[in-house]
Amino acid sequence: MVFLPDEARSLPPPPLVNKGSVWLALTGWLAALLDNGFAQRPILRAGVHRQVLFASVGWFAGYFLVKRTEYVHAKVDRELLAYVRQHPEDFKQAG
């Protein structure tokens, strides 16, 4: 998969409630409210199913974006530590 390679499976999963999920769920819900407002429907009472759907899609998108971000950071850390191990003369211990 292009979005998340198989080697990302070795990482622990992010928590279900994380900053990305909450923000994108809130963004999805607000998008549904804006859609109601632009269509001149009651903002909170109309299309509750759409509000739940948009918030759910935002939640899952946020979860997988956080998962991808953690994979990218782990990959950079792994490459950096491999470089430090291969070039110990450049990284002497202080003292």
Side-chain angles (χ1 to χ4, degrees):
M1 176 184 232
V2 175
F3 183 70
L4 201 59
D6 288 335
E7 65 183 6
R9 291 182 185 187
S10 64
L11 294 173
L16 285 177
V17 178
N18 58 56
K19 196 175 358 178
S21 293
V22 171
W23 277 108
L24 284 179
L26 181 64
T27 303
W29 181 62
L30 290 175
L33 295 181
L34 281 172
D35 181 47
N36 284 343
F38 289 138
Q40 297 182 354
R41 294 186 292 254
I43 295 190
L44 287 174
R45 292 180 303 158
V48 175
H49 62 285
R50 268 195 330 273
Q51 295 176 30
V52 171
L53 175 68
F54 283 24
S56 299
V57 168
W59 189 275
F60 287 113
Y63 177 79
F64 283 105
L65 285 174
V66 167
K67 195 171 184 177
R68 167 93 175 140
T69 302
E70 288 183 0
Y71 164 71
V72 169
H73 287 279
K75 183 178 171 186
V76 168
D77 287 348
R78 183 184 65 211
E79 291 170 356
L80 180 64
L81 289 174
Y83 181 82
V84 169
R85 275 190 231 111
Q86 290 174 357
H87 301 91
E89 65 279 357
D90 294 337
F91 304 96
K92 297 188 189 313
Q93 294 289 335

